[in-house]
Amino acid sequence: MVAPLVVAVTGLNATDNPGPGVGVIRSLLHARDPGLRVVGLAYDAMEPGVYADGLVDDVFLIPYPSQGVEPLRERLAYIRRRVGFNVVIPTLDAELPAFVDLAPELAAQGVGTLLPTREQLDLRCKAKLAALGAQGLPVPASRVLTDVAGLYTIHEAFPYPIVVKGPYYGAKVAHTLDEAVHAFHAMAAQWGFPVIVQQFVAGQELCVLAVGDGRGGLVGAVQMRKTVITDKGKGWAGVAIRDEGLDALTATFMKASRWRGPCELEVIRDAAGGYHVLEVNPRFPAWCFLSAGAGMNLPFAVAELAAGRAPAALADYRVGTMFVRIALDQITDMAPFSSMSTAGEIVRSEGASR
Amino acid sequence: MSRPLYERPVIARHQTGAMNKFSRAASMQPQTHVDGVPVDTLVEAYGSPLFVFSEKTLVARYRELRDAFARRFAKVRVTWSYKTNYLDAICRVFHREGAWAEVVSEFEWEKARHNGVPGERIHLNGPLKTEATLRRVLPEGTLVHIDNFDELALLERLADELNLTPKVALRVNLAVESIPAWGRFGFNLENGQAITAANRIVAGKRLELIGLHCHLGTFILDPASYREQATKLAHLANELRRAHGLVLSFLDIGGGFASHSKLKAQYLPGDQATPSFDRYAAACAEGLAALEYPAGKEPTIVLESGRALVDDAGTLISTVLANKRLADGQRGLVVDAGVNILFTSFWYDHDVVPAQPFGGIAEPTVMYGPLCMNIDVVRDSVMFPPMRTGDRVVFRHVGAYNVTQWMQFITYRPAVLMIGADGRHGIIRKREELETLLASEEVPAWL
Amino acid sequence: MQRLRDLAISDTGFVFDPFSGATYTVNDTARCVLDGLKRGLHRDELVALLADRFETSGEDLSRDLDDLVHSLRLFGLVPGAFEVV
């Protein structure tokens, strides 16, 4: 008899700019795997996913990645003793280096992960994306700048408008040199160097949720077009699509990077039918529940692979399946919040003793 | 039943986005000892504040760096960057391990000679090379890294006058993606200046060009930057070989490797962000694979590391002078080490922990030094447990630059101590006293 | 002092202020002081209470008390002019 999956998941910050954790957990629950239990890992007592009905069995605060690996290692060890878990799925960019570093020792303790290497993480960072262009991935023309002087000749490389991006987050479209200089200083002040300047490409915003096997192959992928976009540029509704161009592009990325685990490709399809990969996110996207809803449950497949199980062959997904996000008010009394803020945990399951 | 231990009563308001009791403070451990010696013993013997250097860590870091490169290159030379910390005891630890000296002034050169380093095992670098300095160092065979055309001309003239053929290297600056270029030092590669300078040296026949040198910057967290730098240096060396048949005896890839400290602008702390020496060495090796040199003629790889070797070995012990409650409710802590001796706190969020067991609720805390100046902040916001006056704190990874860039201001600079590999400890720089300062003062006769 | 009397304080040190909706965490010593303040204890009685309940080692309890009351004033849990006497 196979041990039941107990999966620890981060990213419960289901705000209007949501973390992927809630989507990952709903996908896991959707699989109705016997004995499956979910342990939520949160960074703040007020992360909404903590309070969602029937979502997590147990939930624990964990230290921020900026606190270093050691506090995280200790906290995970405590949680393992308290309620046990055999898979962990980190879902936030900033925590990935720490979890990647901890993966070997977690594995030695019987906790599985499906994560890229540090080198693969570096490869897809914004400043390096252009290098993937050399390996056959269509990326927009870009320049990595550490000095504003580089902007004065940018029009010789590609025409305005341009997108000025920070190294981790933030993007501004600039139509003139003046706007670009302003955006450059704003990005540098907020996010530091380098500043990435990218050719602006217009078209349909498409996303691919893909899971790589770490050997250049694809476990599975679901394609989606955003149909409602919020003022923050986040997809609020979308539809599963099938585009052979995206298939080819996904396969190229997997082959070039030998990616292990989940990732999201953000792609623009221009009016002429050309593709431009804007970004590669090294984790599940917030909309990943669409994959379960459309019949190809990639979060569950990742959990099974991480646990060392051979997952059942993935069925293809149903094109035309839609997701529509809604805002929902959860009602809770003070007790769970009190427990989270003073003890840093809510334990409902019988935990490891079960 | 025994009563619970008293701790200062604290009420902390919950704020969304800051409600995580598992901050660093929760897992913070006191550092009660440095290399096995109790902090209390050290302070009782040598006073507070007190800089403490660990010989064990100095040696361990040196060997880790040397071995990482020695595994990949036939010939490796580590030079100790004097400006990072030129206390004799520190320098001698590295020289004993085999390090040459990298100096940037006549004073540092004198220090290196004083430490027993032969002149021909010193690399003289930087823009501060006066005629007097060069007249002194050239006859001793010191390797001069040329910074600009004026210096080149001066060296050629002195070579004639002194009837010597000085061994020189060309300092080169070049563009590497994603880090700001240090264009002010040396000759630019991309605009052809570097080649022009090399051609001129070769044509002049008064200097012997034996090396190339590039120093990318400081606290470079991405090893790939070194791959790019090494590739460009290799291409330049290939070009010089094709043009003049020149086979260089060394390539100096500079310093700039990160320590385990954390820059203020950096999100992840050193234990996650700082690459190992092994990763830096691997990147350099990948880049230098582009070098087309005959077998057996491979150049020596020169490193001029400072911070990465000494920072982790230095600790600063300081004592709590006072607790404050600021107007906005934030907690302030006044300690006896200020920015005058912990100069690097302007750029780094130093890792600081209590030196004794502690309890209680950690609060966001501003840590002030003892100076009567508003800028004297050694940590601008850190989650820190309650402290009592007389308690001690320990700043870690502060061995680089502080004991060279510090300033004497309103009080005496503290003692600097070394704990030996065998646990012995001894002063390596005395605490200043009135006589120390009066020794260099004079009062004119009319006063 | 009604605000103080209305505070709901749990055994784990979780504090809810029904007037403002704000929540707080207190440590055991602060919980002890809040209990004392609710009962209208004076400075010397509060200091004696702390010294009785906890193992002290020469701390200035009176000064620590003032520091806590400063925070309570800042959070509006006691009137701005409140002093322990």
Side-chain angles (χ1 to χ4, degrees), chain A residues 43-46 62-69 71 75 98 118 122 128 146 337 341-342, chain B residues 14 16-24 27 177-180 222 267-269 271-272 279:
Chain A
Y43 288 105
D44 192 278
M46 265 319 287
I62 56 171
Y64 285 103
S66 60
Q67 312 291 340
V69 169
R75 185 65 177 156
R118 284 292 283 261
D122 286 348
K128 303 271 180 58
T146 51
F337 174 62
S341 48
T342 58
Chain B
H14 298 153
T16 302
M19 274 186 274
N20 186 337
K21 61 178 296 193
F22 296 96
S23 61
R24 185 167 199 94
S27 61
E177 228 180 45
S178 75
I179 54 170
D222 185 0
Y267 179 66
L268 292 176
D271 64 355
Q272 290 165 74
R279 287 185 62 198

Short mmCIF file of all heavy atoms in Angstrom, two decimals, chain A residues 43-46 62-69 71 75 98 118 122 128 146 337 341-342, chain B residues 14 16-24 27 177-180 222 267-269 271-272 279:
data_model
loop_
_atom_site.label_atom_id
_atom_site.label_comp_id
_atom_site.label_asym_id
_atom_site.label_seq_id
_atom_site.Cartn_x
_atom_site.Cartn_y
_atom_site.Cartn_z
N TYR A 43 3.49 33.11 5.01
CA TYR A 43 4.48 34.08 5.47
C TYR A 43 3.86 35.15 6.35
O TYR A 43 4.57 35.98 6.92
CB TYR A 43 5.19 34.75 4.29
CG TYR A 43 6.14 33.81 3.59
CD1 TYR A 43 5.82 33.24 2.35
CD2 TYR A 43 7.34 33.46 4.19
CE1 TYR A 43 6.69 32.37 1.74
CE2 TYR A 43 8.22 32.59 3.56
CZ TYR A 43 7.90 32.06 2.34
OH TYR A 43 8.76 31.18 1.73
N ASP A 44 2.53 35.18 6.43
CA ASP A 44 1.89 36.21 7.22
C ASP A 44 0.58 35.65 7.76
O ASP A 44 -0.10 34.88 7.07
CB ASP A 44 1.59 37.44 6.35
CG ASP A 44 1.20 38.65 7.19
OD1 ASP A 44 0.02 38.75 7.57
OD2 ASP A 44 2.08 39.47 7.49
N ALA A 45 0.25 36.02 9.00
CA ALA A 45 -0.97 35.51 9.62
C ALA A 45 -2.21 35.92 8.84
O ALA A 45 -3.27 35.31 8.97
CB ALA A 45 -1.07 36.00 11.06
N MET A 46 -2.10 36.96 8.01
CA MET A 46 -3.29 37.44 7.27
C MET A 46 -3.33 36.93 5.83
O MET A 46 -4.09 37.46 5.03
CB MET A 46 -3.33 38.97 7.28
CG MET A 46 -4.18 39.59 8.39
SD MET A 46 -5.75 38.78 8.73
CE MET A 46 -6.70 39.26 7.31
N ILE A 62 6.04 30.30 8.18
CA ILE A 62 7.45 29.98 7.97
C ILE A 62 8.22 31.29 7.82
O ILE A 62 7.65 32.31 7.44
CB ILE A 62 7.69 29.07 6.74
CG1 ILE A 62 7.11 29.69 5.47
CG2 ILE A 62 7.11 27.69 6.98
CD1 ILE A 62 7.50 28.94 4.20
N PRO A 63 9.52 31.29 8.14
CA PRO A 63 10.30 32.53 8.06
C PRO A 63 10.51 32.97 6.61
O PRO A 63 10.60 32.14 5.71
CB PRO A 63 11.63 32.17 8.71
CG PRO A 63 11.71 30.70 8.67
CD PRO A 63 10.31 30.17 8.68
N TYR A 64 10.60 34.26 6.42
CA TYR A 64 10.84 34.81 5.08
C TYR A 64 12.17 34.32 4.52
O TYR A 64 13.12 34.10 5.27
CB TYR A 64 10.88 36.33 5.14
CG TYR A 64 9.52 36.96 5.30
CD1 TYR A 64 9.12 37.46 6.52
CD2 TYR A 64 8.66 37.06 4.21
CE1 TYR A 64 7.87 38.04 6.68
CE2 TYR A 64 7.41 37.64 4.36
CZ TYR A 64 7.02 38.13 5.59
OH TYR A 64 5.80 38.69 5.73
N PRO A 65 12.24 34.18 3.18
CA PRO A 65 13.50 33.77 2.57
C PRO A 65 14.64 34.71 2.95
O PRO A 65 15.79 34.28 3.07
CB PRO A 65 13.23 33.86 1.06
CG PRO A 65 11.75 33.87 0.92
CD PRO A 65 11.18 34.40 2.19
N SER A 66 14.32 35.98 3.17
CA SER A 66 15.38 36.94 3.50
C SER A 66 15.99 36.65 4.87
O SER A 66 17.00 37.24 5.24
CB SER A 66 14.83 38.36 3.48
OG SER A 66 13.78 38.49 4.41
N GLN A 67 15.38 35.76 5.65
CA GLN A 67 15.94 35.43 6.97
C GLN A 67 17.05 34.39 6.87
O GLN A 67 17.72 34.10 7.86
CB GLN A 67 14.86 34.89 7.91
CG GLN A 67 13.59 35.68 7.95
CD GLN A 67 13.78 37.02 8.61
OE1 GLN A 67 14.73 37.22 9.34
NE2 GLN A 67 12.90 37.94 8.32
N GLY A 68 17.22 33.80 5.70
CA GLY A 68 18.28 32.82 5.56
C GLY A 68 17.75 31.39 5.56
O GLY A 68 16.60 31.13 5.91
N VAL A 69 18.61 30.47 5.15
CA VAL A 69 18.22 29.06 5.01
C VAL A 69 18.01 28.40 6.38
O VAL A 69 17.10 27.60 6.56
CB VAL A 69 19.29 28.29 4.20
CG1 VAL A 69 19.05 26.79 4.28
CG2 VAL A 69 19.26 28.73 2.75
N PRO A 71 16.91 29.34 9.51
CA PRO A 71 15.60 29.41 10.17
C PRO A 71 14.55 28.58 9.43
O PRO A 71 13.70 27.94 10.05
CB PRO A 71 15.25 30.89 10.13
CG PRO A 71 16.54 31.59 9.95
CD PRO A 71 17.42 30.67 9.17
N ARG A 75 12.40 25.44 10.90
CA ARG A 75 10.95 25.51 10.94
C ARG A 75 10.34 24.31 10.20
O ARG A 75 9.37 23.71 10.66
CB ARG A 75 10.50 26.83 10.31
CG ARG A 75 9.02 27.10 10.40
CD ARG A 75 8.55 27.27 11.82
NE ARG A 75 7.12 27.59 11.83
CZ ARG A 75 6.32 27.36 12.88
NH1 ARG A 75 6.81 26.83 13.98
NH2 ARG A 75 5.05 27.67 12.82
N ALA A 98 16.17 29.08 -1.76
CA ALA A 98 16.29 28.40 -0.46
C ALA A 98 15.78 26.96 -0.56
O ALA A 98 16.42 26.03 -0.07
CB ALA A 98 15.53 29.16 0.61
N ARG A 118 19.83 25.55 -9.41
CA ARG A 118 20.16 26.97 -9.30
C ARG A 118 20.57 27.54 -10.66
O ARG A 118 20.24 28.67 -11.00
CB ARG A 118 21.30 27.19 -8.30
CG ARG A 118 20.91 27.06 -6.85
CD ARG A 118 20.00 28.19 -6.41
NE ARG A 118 20.69 29.45 -6.16
CZ ARG A 118 21.04 29.89 -4.95
NH1 ARG A 118 20.76 29.19 -3.90
NH2 ARG A 118 21.65 31.05 -4.81
N ASP A 122 18.84 30.64 -12.67
CA ASP A 122 19.58 31.81 -13.17
C ASP A 122 19.32 32.03 -14.66
O ASP A 122 19.19 33.15 -15.11
CB ASP A 122 21.09 31.62 -12.95
CG ASP A 122 21.48 31.78 -11.49
OD1 ASP A 122 20.63 32.25 -10.71
OD2 ASP A 122 22.61 31.42 -11.13
N LYS A 128 18.89 37.43 -18.14
CA LYS A 128 19.56 36.41 -18.96
C LYS A 128 18.67 35.88 -20.08
O LYS A 128 19.09 35.05 -20.85
CB LYS A 128 19.95 35.22 -18.07
CG LYS A 128 20.83 35.57 -16.91
CD LYS A 128 22.29 35.49 -17.33
CE LYS A 128 23.18 35.84 -16.18
NZ LYS A 128 22.95 34.95 -15.04
N THR A 146 23.08 49.11 -17.03
CA THR A 146 23.42 49.47 -15.67
C THR A 146 23.68 50.97 -15.61
O THR A 146 24.03 51.51 -14.57
CB THR A 146 24.70 48.75 -15.20
OG1 THR A 146 25.71 48.95 -16.18
CG2 THR A 146 24.44 47.27 -15.05
N PHE A 337 -7.19 33.23 13.70
CA PHE A 337 -6.27 34.36 13.57
C PHE A 337 -5.42 34.50 14.83
O PHE A 337 -4.21 34.73 14.76
CB PHE A 337 -7.05 35.65 13.29
CG PHE A 337 -6.19 36.88 13.29
CD1 PHE A 337 -5.18 37.02 12.35
CD2 PHE A 337 -6.37 37.88 14.22
CE1 PHE A 337 -4.37 38.15 12.35
CE2 PHE A 337 -5.56 39.01 14.23
CZ PHE A 337 -4.57 39.13 13.29
N SER A 341 -1.41 34.25 14.92
CA SER A 341 -0.55 35.36 15.30
C SER A 341 0.23 35.09 16.58
O SER A 341 1.30 35.66 16.77
CB SER A 341 -1.32 36.68 15.38
OG SER A 341 -2.48 36.52 16.11
N THR A 342 -0.27 34.25 17.46
CA THR A 342 0.51 34.00 18.68
C THR A 342 1.33 32.71 18.58
O THR A 342 2.50 32.69 18.92
CB THR A 342 -0.38 33.94 19.93
OG1 THR A 342 -1.35 32.92 19.76
CG2 THR A 342 -1.06 35.26 20.18
N HIS B 14 -0.25 44.10 15.87
CA HIS B 14 -0.20 43.32 14.62
C HIS B 14 -0.40 44.23 13.43
O HIS B 14 -1.31 45.04 13.42
CB HIS B 14 -1.30 42.25 14.63
CG HIS B 14 -1.15 41.26 15.73
ND1 HIS B 14 -2.20 40.57 16.26
CD2 HIS B 14 -0.05 40.86 16.40
CE1 HIS B 14 -1.77 39.77 17.22
NE2 HIS B 14 -0.47 39.93 17.34
N THR B 16 -0.67 44.03 9.18
CA THR B 16 -0.74 43.15 8.02
C THR B 16 0.55 43.27 7.22
O THR B 16 1.04 44.37 7.00
CB THR B 16 -1.95 43.51 7.14
OG1 THR B 16 -3.10 43.39 7.96
CG2 THR B 16 -2.06 42.57 5.96
N GLY B 17 1.07 42.14 6.81
CA GLY B 17 2.33 42.14 6.07
C GLY B 17 3.52 42.02 7.01
O GLY B 17 4.63 41.82 6.57
N ALA B 18 3.29 42.15 8.32
CA ALA B 18 4.40 42.01 9.27
C ALA B 18 4.01 41.07 10.39
O ALA B 18 4.47 41.19 11.50
CB ALA B 18 4.77 43.38 9.83
N MET B 19 3.06 40.16 10.09
CA MET B 19 2.61 39.25 11.13
C MET B 19 3.23 37.89 10.94
O MET B 19 2.63 36.97 10.40
CB MET B 19 1.09 39.14 11.11
CG MET B 19 0.42 40.22 11.92
SD MET B 19 -1.33 39.95 11.99
CE MET B 19 -1.86 40.75 10.51
N ASN B 20 4.49 37.79 11.29
CA ASN B 20 5.16 36.51 11.18
C ASN B 20 6.12 36.40 12.34
O ASN B 20 7.17 37.02 12.37
CB ASN B 20 5.91 36.41 9.85
CG ASN B 20 6.49 35.03 9.65
OD1 ASN B 20 6.71 34.28 10.61
ND2 ASN B 20 6.72 34.66 8.41
N LYS B 21 5.71 35.61 13.32
CA LYS B 21 6.57 35.51 14.49
C LYS B 21 7.83 34.70 14.21
O LYS B 21 8.73 34.67 15.01
CB LYS B 21 5.79 34.93 15.67
CG LYS B 21 5.26 33.53 15.42
CD LYS B 21 4.54 33.00 16.63
CE LYS B 21 5.50 32.84 17.79
NZ LYS B 21 5.01 32.07 18.89
N PHE B 22 7.89 34.07 13.01
CA PHE B 22 9.10 33.31 12.68
C PHE B 22 10.05 34.15 11.85
O PHE B 22 10.55 33.75 10.82
CB PHE B 22 8.75 31.99 12.00
CG PHE B 22 8.00 31.14 12.96
CD1 PHE B 22 6.62 31.13 12.95
CD2 PHE B 22 8.66 30.46 13.95
CE1 PHE B 22 5.92 30.40 13.88
CE2 PHE B 22 7.97 29.75 14.89
CZ PHE B 22 6.59 29.72 14.86
N SER B 23 10.26 35.34 12.34
CA SER B 23 11.26 36.19 11.71
C SER B 23 12.61 35.67 12.19
O SER B 23 12.69 34.73 12.95
CB SER B 23 11.06 37.63 12.15
OG SER B 23 11.22 37.68 13.55
N ARG B 24 13.68 36.34 11.73
CA ARG B 24 15.00 35.91 12.13
C ARG B 24 15.11 35.87 13.66
O ARG B 24 15.79 35.02 14.21
CB ARG B 24 16.05 36.86 11.57
CG ARG B 24 17.44 36.37 11.86
CD ARG B 24 18.48 37.12 11.05
NE ARG B 24 19.71 36.36 10.99
CZ ARG B 24 20.02 35.54 10.02
NH1 ARG B 24 19.17 35.35 9.02
NH2 ARG B 24 21.15 34.88 10.02
N SER B 27 14.50 32.54 15.38
CA SER B 27 15.50 31.47 15.31
C SER B 27 16.89 32.00 15.64
O SER B 27 17.88 31.32 15.50
CB SER B 27 15.51 30.86 13.92
OG SER B 27 15.83 31.84 13.00
N GLU B 177 27.88 42.39 -18.96
CA GLU B 177 26.44 42.60 -18.83
C GLU B 177 26.03 42.58 -17.36
O GLU B 177 26.54 41.80 -16.58
CB GLU B 177 25.69 41.50 -19.59
CG GLU B 177 24.60 42.10 -20.46
CD GLU B 177 23.84 41.07 -21.24
OE1 GLU B 177 23.48 40.03 -20.66
OE2 GLU B 177 23.60 41.32 -22.44
N SER B 178 25.12 43.43 -17.03
CA SER B 178 24.42 43.46 -15.75
C SER B 178 25.23 43.93 -14.55
O SER B 178 24.75 43.84 -13.43
CB SER B 178 23.75 42.11 -15.45
OG SER B 178 24.68 41.15 -15.07
N ILE B 179 26.47 44.41 -14.74
CA ILE B 179 27.08 45.13 -13.61
C ILE B 179 27.65 46.45 -14.12
O ILE B 179 28.13 46.53 -15.24
CB ILE B 179 28.19 44.32 -12.88
CG1 ILE B 179 29.25 43.83 -13.87
CG2 ILE B 179 27.63 43.15 -12.11
CD1 ILE B 179 30.44 43.26 -13.14
N PRO B 180 27.56 47.49 -13.28
CA PRO B 180 28.06 48.80 -13.72
C PRO B 180 29.57 48.73 -13.99
O PRO B 180 30.30 48.11 -13.23
CB PRO B 180 27.79 49.71 -12.51
CG PRO B 180 26.80 48.97 -11.66
CD PRO B 180 27.02 47.52 -11.92
N ASP B 222 27.11 37.39 -9.10
CA ASP B 222 26.83 36.48 -10.21
C ASP B 222 28.14 35.97 -10.81
O ASP B 222 28.87 36.72 -11.47
CB ASP B 222 26.01 37.22 -11.27
CG ASP B 222 25.60 36.30 -12.40
OD1 ASP B 222 25.96 35.09 -12.36
OD2 ASP B 222 24.91 36.77 -13.32
N TYR B 267 18.15 41.25 -1.43
CA TYR B 267 17.02 40.65 -0.72
C TYR B 267 17.43 39.39 0.04
O TYR B 267 17.21 39.26 1.22
CB TYR B 267 15.88 40.34 -1.70
CG TYR B 267 14.70 39.68 -1.00
CD1 TYR B 267 13.96 40.40 -0.06
CD2 TYR B 267 14.36 38.36 -1.23
CE1 TYR B 267 12.90 39.82 0.61
CE2 TYR B 267 13.31 37.77 -0.57
CZ TYR B 267 12.58 38.50 0.35
OH TYR B 267 11.54 37.91 1.03
N LEU B 268 18.05 38.47 -0.66
CA LEU B 268 18.42 37.22 0.01
C LEU B 268 19.73 37.40 0.78
O LEU B 268 20.65 38.05 0.30
CB LEU B 268 18.57 36.09 -1.01
CG LEU B 268 17.28 35.66 -1.67
CD1 LEU B 268 17.56 34.61 -2.73
CD2 LEU B 268 16.27 35.13 -0.67
N PRO B 269 19.83 36.83 1.98
CA PRO B 269 21.06 36.97 2.75
C PRO B 269 22.19 36.11 2.18
O PRO B 269 21.98 35.29 1.29
CB PRO B 269 20.66 36.47 4.14
CG PRO B 269 19.54 35.53 3.90
CD PRO B 269 18.83 36.02 2.67
N ASP B 271 23.85 33.51 3.05
CA ASP B 271 23.86 32.05 3.00
C ASP B 271 23.17 31.52 1.75
O ASP B 271 23.40 30.39 1.34
CB ASP B 271 23.30 31.42 4.29
CG ASP B 271 21.84 31.75 4.53
OD1 ASP B 271 21.28 32.55 3.75
OD2 ASP B 271 21.25 31.22 5.48
N GLN B 272 22.30 32.34 1.11
CA GLN B 272 21.69 31.91 -0.14
C GLN B 272 22.29 32.62 -1.34
O GLN B 272 22.37 32.06 -2.43
CB GLN B 272 20.19 32.20 -0.13
CG GLN B 272 19.41 31.33 0.81
CD GLN B 272 18.03 31.89 1.05
OE1 GLN B 272 17.15 31.82 0.20
NE2 GLN B 272 17.84 32.48 2.20
N ARG B 279 32.18 28.08 -7.40
CA ARG B 279 31.38 28.55 -8.53
C ARG B 279 32.09 29.68 -9.28
O ARG B 279 32.02 29.77 -10.50
CB ARG B 279 30.00 28.99 -8.07
CG ARG B 279 29.09 27.80 -7.68
CD ARG B 279 27.69 28.25 -7.32
NE ARG B 279 27.01 28.88 -8.44
CZ ARG B 279 25.93 29.66 -8.30
NH1 ARG B 279 25.42 29.89 -7.10
NH2 ARG B 279 25.34 30.21 -9.34
#
